[in-house]
Amino acid sequence: NPDESTKFSSIQDAVDVAAENGSIATIEVHEGTYEESVRIDTKGLTLQGADDASSTIIGQSSIAVTSTAPNVEIADLRIENPDGSRAVRVTGDATGVVIQNNTVTNVNTNNSADQPRGIVVGGLDGGDSADGLEIRNNTVTNVEGGAADKDQAHAIQILEESGGGGLIENVVVDGNTIESITDTRSTAAVQFNGKIEGEITNNNISG
């Protein structure tokens, strides 16, 4: 059985073992660059980088980091996806998910996809499973749209898609730094789309 000193050859290997083990609450990602895409399907798991976002994930598919389970925390990481259109996607059940102290950058910069996103929450169970979601103190920068006149690049987007019957409550988007979001049509720094109640506060938006 793995313990707190166990080392893995990839982040995804550690996430998969945590899912099988059931008693691992935190995966510590040491300083370095990890060229992989990561998917978290385990409730309550924390993916924790080293200090100052010196642990870098460079996505190898359309999405760099995907979370599908409640009470997941993604923290202190540098997340890039130059060849894909999403850095972080939270889907399935986003209840109590926390995304904080990350640097999300270089999204879609080598790609021509439309609708690039730094952090996106959508495709939720029932369309509205994201109560208590927190997105705090991240830096989201250099998200580039590439397809002319198709939608827009977003730094942070949260989607309630229940067809009018749902409501996402107690969402917090606070203290984020957002800059250099570019597209041929238009851009959005933070968007709540649908029936969402929460706070967008203290974010520093430029460029």
Side-chain angles (χ1 to χ4, degrees):
N1 293 327
D3 58 29
E4 64 182 16
S5 65
T6 303
K7 296 181 180 180
F8 297 90
S9 60
S10 71
I11 299 171
Q12 190 63 57
D13 284 349
V15 169
D16 292 343
V17 169
E20 295 169 2
N21 181 272
S23 63
I24 298 173
T26 300
I27 294 171
E28 296 181 356
V29 182
H30 288 187
E31 181 178 352
T33 299
Y34 302 81
E35 295 185 359
E36 59 179 303
S37 289
V38 178
R39 182 181 176 95
I40 303 169
D41 298 318
T42 302
K43 178 180 178 180
L45 188 67
T46 294
L47 190 64
Q48 177 79 49
D51 292 339
D52 300 320
S54 58
S55 308
T56 300
I57 297 173
I58 301 178
Q60 301 297 299
S61 62
S62 60
I63 305 167
V65 178
T66 301
S67 171
T68 69
N71 301 314
V72 165
E73 181 174 344
I74 299 167
D76 297 308
L77 293 161
R78 181 181 176 94
I79 303 171
E80 304 184 25
N81 203 9
D83 295 316
S85 60
R86 307 284 190 271
V88 179
R89 183 171 188 247
V90 182
T91 189
D93 192 341
T95 304
V97 167
V98 176
I99 302 170
Q100 63 180 355
N101 302 324
N102 302 285
T103 296
V104 174
T105 189
N106 299 333
V107 181
N108 208 50
T109 53
N110 296 340
N111 200 13
S112 60
D114 60 345
Q115 306 180 42
R117 304 290 188 262
I119 300 169
V120 60
V121 181
L124 301 168
D125 294 341
D128 59 355
S129 301
D131 289 354
L133 171 73
E134 298 183 16
I135 302 175
R136 296 182 181 271
N137 302 321
N138 303 282
T139 296
V140 184
T141 183
N142 208 22
V143 179
E144 293 187 3
D149 298 324
K150 290 187 177 181
D151 198 31
Q152 56 190 179
H154 289 65
I156 299 170
Q157 183 183 42
I158 302 169
L159 301 167
E160 179 272 313
E161 303 159 301
S162 65
L167 174 65
I168 298 174
E169 299 179 283
N170 302 317
V171 173
V172 175
V173 178
D174 177 76
N176 302 283
T177 297
I178 298 169
E179 57 187 11
S180 299
I181 312 301
T182 61
D183 208 330
T184 56
R185 183 182 178 187
S186 60
T187 62
V190 180
Q191 184 190 56
F192 285 4
N193 191 325
K195 296 174 67 176
I196 302 170
E197 292 183 355
E199 300 179 356
I200 301 173
T201 54
N202 304 313
N203 299 287
N204 184 3
I205 301 167
S206 63

